[in-house]
Amino acid sequence: MRATALAGFGLALNFFVVGSTHQPDLVSSTPLPLPLISETARTDPADFSAAELQQLQRRFGVHGPQTPLAQLFTAGLDHWIPLRSHTITRLEALMPLIKQEAKNRNLNPMLLTAILYDEMQHAKPGEDSALAMQSGFFQTHGVAQLGIEELIHQGLLPKQPSPSQMAWAQQELLNPERNVSILAGKMQRLIKALKGTTKANLNASTSYRDAHLMATLAYLHNGKLDYPTRILKYMQDPALHGLVYSSREPSPSSII
């Protein structure tokens, strides 16, 4: 991407963070030095060097991109208007919680909204049901597609949970509100793992480094190399911006 494209990214990316990713999240107390090459050498925040990918693989466990067929299927779903409308309606119901979690954890709600939109839009039929979870066929669950291991990382479960604790964890992940809260906790946890602090005063509209960190958070959430680009695109979606930042006026009374 040419350098002029960064300005276009910047307008939308300034919504990323006001302060301050389905794979193993092995947290180390040593922050990851990102990016590992000069900021002037690259202009796409979702571009990762070979050295970065090696470090991320070692610390967190990540993958390559989706297969071309899977990417084509994903893009097709994004153009299915009834599904998109349904996803936006579901997001709207969760928006008060998304905003509150973002405020409590010093995150930007657009980052949470974009991830939730992607996971809900591309969810496999039935994978968020209790039956699917009990079958063990799916490893991630709920509106943000999170795994049991995330509850362990956040200290909500011991490393070797009992059957009753596992049952509790499954219910937590299937609860949309709790799933959103756990996603917010994951973002906060990963920021600390990457930067050594959650007090990250990021400005993605003017800093390639900050924008690249946001792309890294998206990558670590999903573990697929093409995922960050998709999340950055959703963060520019006017409909999603409307959910997060618009306010609704109360309907006028019919009584005069």
Side-chain angles (χ1 to χ4, degrees), residues 14 27 78 142 144 158 164 198 224 231 246:
N14 61 0
V27 175
D78 284 346
S164 61
T198 58
K224 291 292 187 180
I231 293 302
S246 66

Side-chain angles (χ1 to χ4, degrees), residues 10-236:
L11 182 61
L13 295 179
N14 61 0
F15 294 104
F16 274 11
V17 175
V18 295
S20 89
T21 130
H22 307 180
Q23 78 294 324
D25 293 319
L26 306 177
V27 175
S28 167
S29 60
T30 303
L32 186 67
L34 295 174
L36 298 178
I37 67 173
S38 169
E39 294 186 15
T40 60
R42 294 175 297 180
T43 56
D44 183 354
D47 181 25
F48 296 89
S49 70
E52 286 176 283
L53 293 177
Q54 186 177 36
Q55 286 200 35
L56 292 172
Q57 173 64 46
R58 183 172 64 250
R59 287 190 57 191
F60 299 94
V62 285
H63 318 290
Q66 293 189 95
T67 64
L69 182 59
Q71 292 186 48
L72 182 62
F73 179 75
T74 296
L77 288 178
D78 284 346
H79 290 88
W80 189 13
I81 301 302
L83 176 59
R84 173 176 166 83
S85 298
H86 178 64
T87 303
I88 290 177
T89 298
R90 293 174 64 194
L91 269 175
E92 185 175 21
L94 293 169
M95 197 51 60
L97 177 62
I98 294 171
K99 293 180 179 181
Q100 189 61 51
E101 285 291 335
K103 180 179 180 181
N104 291 346
R105 299 179 185 273
N106 211 21
L107 299 167
N108 189 298
M110 277 307 303
L111 178 61
L112 300 179
T113 300
I115 291 174
L116 288 164
Y117 175 81
D118 182 272
E119 301 296 358
M120 294 164 68
Q121 178 80 350
H122 305 126
K124 302 176 182 65
E127 71 177 352
D128 59 350
S129 68
L131 182 61
M133 175 174 280
Q134 293 166 5
S135 71
F137 186 74
F138 299 109
Q139 299 300 311
T140 55
H141 311 279
V143 292
Q145 286 298 288
L146 299 167
I148 296 292
E149 74 278 356
E150 182 55 36
L151 295 171
I152 297 174
H153 288 311
Q154 294 189 27
L156 300 174
L157 275 182
K159 291 184 178 180
Q160 299 294 331
S162 67
S164 61
Q165 290 171 326
M166 285 291 291
W168 170 84
Q170 291 173 349
Q171 292 305 311
E172 288 286 281
L173 292 176
L174 289 179
N175 182 309
E177 288 78 13
R178 284 294 294 141
N179 201 281
V180 170
S181 298
I182 296 166
L183 172 65
K186 183 177 187 179
M187 294 294 102
Q188 187 180 49
R189 176 178 68 79
L190 288 169
I191 289 174
K192 184 174 183 179
L194 291 167
K195 291 188 67 66
T197 178
T198 58
K199 305 295 184 180
N201 187 18
L202 304 178
N203 187 347
S205 63
T206 59
S207 170
Y208 172 89
R209 182 179 294 271
D210 290 351
H212 186 63
L213 176 58
M214 294 297 96
T216 305
L217 291 174
Y219 183 24
L220 294 181
H221 168 68
N222 177 272
K224 291 292 187 180
L225 196 52
D226 55 314
Y227 190 79
T229 297
R230 203 158 71 236
I231 293 302
L232 299 191
K233 182 187 73 173
Y234 295 148
M235 294 185 75
Q236 303 177 57

